[in-house]
Amino acid sequence: MQSVIPSKRHRLQRRDFNEARYKEQHLIENFFAKIKQYRTIATRYDKLARHLFKAFHLVACAGWRD
């Protein structure tokens, strides 16, 4: 495993972290936060994986323009 989140500023011995991976992780977390705003995906009423995957694609396309 590799540390992705940087250590606190006041820490005496700072951990090394990969800044590029941290930025990528941040984008992915923001993407999932936007997706969870849609009730169908957040609650997952439809239990079939293919329907959830289709809804996921629809929301991803809608979020692409934001």
Side-chain angles (χ1 to χ4, degrees):
M1 286 170 114
Q2 184 180 13
S3 176
V4 178
I5 301 172
S7 58
K8 301 274 186 179
R9 292 177 192 238
H10 67 277
R11 187 175 173 141
L12 296 177
Q13 293 179 345
R14 291 197 170 178
R15 293 184 298 222
D16 291 334
F17 76 101
N18 189 337
E19 191 171 343
R21 286 187 67 181
Y22 181 65
K23 287 181 181 182
E24 289 174 2
Q25 177 184 348
H26 181 69
L27 289 175
I28 292 169
E29 287 176 357
N30 286 346
F31 176 70
F32 279 103
K34 281 186 179 182
I35 286 177
K36 287 180 181 179
Q37 291 177 358
Y38 292 88
R39 186 175 181 204
T40 304
I41 292 178
T43 56
R44 194 172 176 188
Y45 286 129
D46 198 352
K47 299 296 180 191
L48 292 177
R50 66 175 181 253
H51 293 167
L52 181 67
F53 196 63
K54 288 177 184 179
F56 190 78
H57 275 269
L58 183 66
V59 170
C61 290
W64 182 264
R65 60 192 170 121
D66 289 341

